[in-house]
Amino acid sequence: MDQMPYPDTLAARAELCRNVVFSAGELVLKGFQGEATRSFSMKGPQDFLTVTDAASEAHIRGAIAAAFPEDSFFGEEGGGVIGDRVWVVDPVDGTANFARGIPHFCISIAYVENGRTEIGAIYNPALDELYFARRGEGATRNGQPIRVAKTERFDAASIEMGWSTRVENAIYLDVVKNLLDMGTNVRRAGSGALALAYVADGRSDAYLELHMNSWDCLAGLLLVSEAGGEVCPFLEIGSLRDGGPVLAAASGVASGVSRASNIPLAKRQAV
C-alpha cells in the first residue's frame, strides 16, 4: 500500500485485525485444501511446521507493517521485537491437525498496548468462525455476542487441557488425575487458541495448559474475560516472550480448576 489507510487509534487497529485475519484465513484455507501445501517438517518433538504457517505470518506481518509501521510484531515463526504496541500472532495454531486434514485449526492475533491485551481475534477458516473481542466491549462469534457456560458441577464439566514438552509428564499427569478425581471430562483437541475460544463460547467449561506461548493464548484469554469468564494473570505469572501457565474457565468451575492445576486466577481487570 502506498499510504497508511488507518488512523492511529484502537478502533482502526480493531478494523485492521478483522480484515487481516480474514485475508490470512483465505490463504490458510487454500493451503488446507491443497494436500501438497499441508506437507510438514518438524521444528521439535510434536512441533509441526508447514509452508502455510510461514506464508500466513508473512502476510499478516506485511499488512500490519503497511498500516501501522510504528507497531512492533511478535510471531511464532519469525519472532520479532516486543514494543509498547505489539501484535502477537500465531499464523496457524493446530498445525498438527492442519497437516493431517483435520479442520480444527485457526489464526490467532492479539494486539497488546502497554502490557494489556486490547484486541483479540481467533479465526477458523475451515468452519468460517471468527471469534473477536475488544477490551470492554464483550466477545462475539461471527458478530453475535457469546458468554461462558453456566456449569457449576464438576461431574457435568468438560475441560480441555493442553500438553507441553516444557513440563514434565509426571506433573501433567498429576493435574489430569486431579481433574478426573473431581469428576470432570478431560479432553484435548490440538489447538490451544481454539480451546480458549470455545471456553468463551460455552462449548467447553475450562482450558488449562501448564506452559503456553503468548501467541497461542493472548487473544483467547481476552475473549474469555470479555465473555464473563475467569482467567489467569498470564503476563504476571509468565511473559510475552517466554510464555507461561494458562487457565481460563467459566466462573462456576474456575476456582476448582485453579486448585487442581495450581494456576492462579487474575483479578477481573487483569488479563
Side-chain angles (χ1 to χ4, degrees):
M1 298 179 185
D2 295 330
Q3 59 184 20
M4 190 174 81
Y6 297 94
D8 187 12
T9 64
L10 272 177
R13 286 174 171 83
E15 180 184 357
L16 171 68
C17 187
R18 289 179 187 272
N19 291 340
V20 75
V21 81
F22 278 130
S23 58
E26 291 181 8
L27 184 158
V28 170
L29 186 58
K30 287 180 182 177
F32 182 68
Q33 293 168 338
E35 188 169 344
T37 55
R38 285 197 276 112
S39 62
F40 60 87
S41 59
M42 303 295 294
K43 295 186 288 183
Q46 298 297 326
D47 194 359
F48 294 76
L49 176 67
T50 73
V51 295
T52 302
D53 293 79
S56 175
E57 182 163 305
H59 171 81
I60 297 167
R61 186 189 293 265
I64 291 170
F68 298 105
E70 300 303 315
D71 290 359
S72 57
F73 185 97
F74 186 58
E76 177 178 14
E77 305 308 331
V81 176
I82 298 173
D84 291 337
R85 295 178 172 184
V86 57
W87 296 81
V88 184
V89 173
D90 191 337
V92 182
D93 184 54
T95 303
N97 289 340
F98 175 92
R100 289 185 167 92
I102 300 170
H104 189 76
F105 56 86
C106 66
I107 300 131
S108 179
I109 301 175
Y111 172 72
V112 181
E113 187 168 303
N114 297 321
R116 289 206 322 175
T117 308
E118 298 289 347
I119 300 164
I122 294 173
Y123 181 49
N124 179 348
L127 299 182
D128 193 25
E129 288 188 339
L130 171 65
Y131 289 94
F132 192 87
R134 186 174 165 193
R135 179 176 293 277
E137 296 187 0
T140 61
R141 172 170 42 88
N142 290 350
Q144 299 301 309
I146 56 174
R147 298 291 292 178
V148 296
K150 297 180 180 179
T151 308
E152 295 184 348
R153 291 175 45 178
F154 290 105
D155 62 0
S158 287
I159 293 173
E160 188 167 348
M161 184 172 177
W163 170 83
S164 170
T165 56
R166 298 195 187 195
V167 177
E168 293 180 11
N169 287 343
I171 298 172
Y172 172 84
L173 292 172
D174 281 345
V175 176
V176 172
K177 182 180 184 301
N178 292 342
L179 294 170
L180 293 174
D181 287 347
M182 293 162 58
T184 66
N185 169 37
V186 180
R187 58 193 182 187
R188 181 168 186 261
S191 170
L194 271 181
L196 289 165
Y198 282 12
V199 175
D201 202 10
R203 292 174 169 178
S204 290
D205 297 302
Y207 180 76
L208 65 149
E209 189 162 337
L210 301 179
H211 184 277
M212 198 171 186
N213 291 307
S214 60
W215 50 74
D216 291 320
C217 69
L218 286 182
L221 289 171
L222 181 62
L223 279 161
V224 174
S225 181
E226 289 294 316
E230 302 293 327
V231 300
C232 68
F234 177 77
L235 292 177
E236 296 176 15
I237 61 177
S239 74
L240 200 155
R241 183 169 294 280
D242 296 323
V246 166
L247 169 62
S251 298
V253 300
S255 60
V257 177
S258 175
R259 289 192 299 272
S261 61
N262 201 32
I263 301 173
L265 294 168
K267 297 179 179 180
R268 282 295 296 151
Q269 70 270 23
V271 174

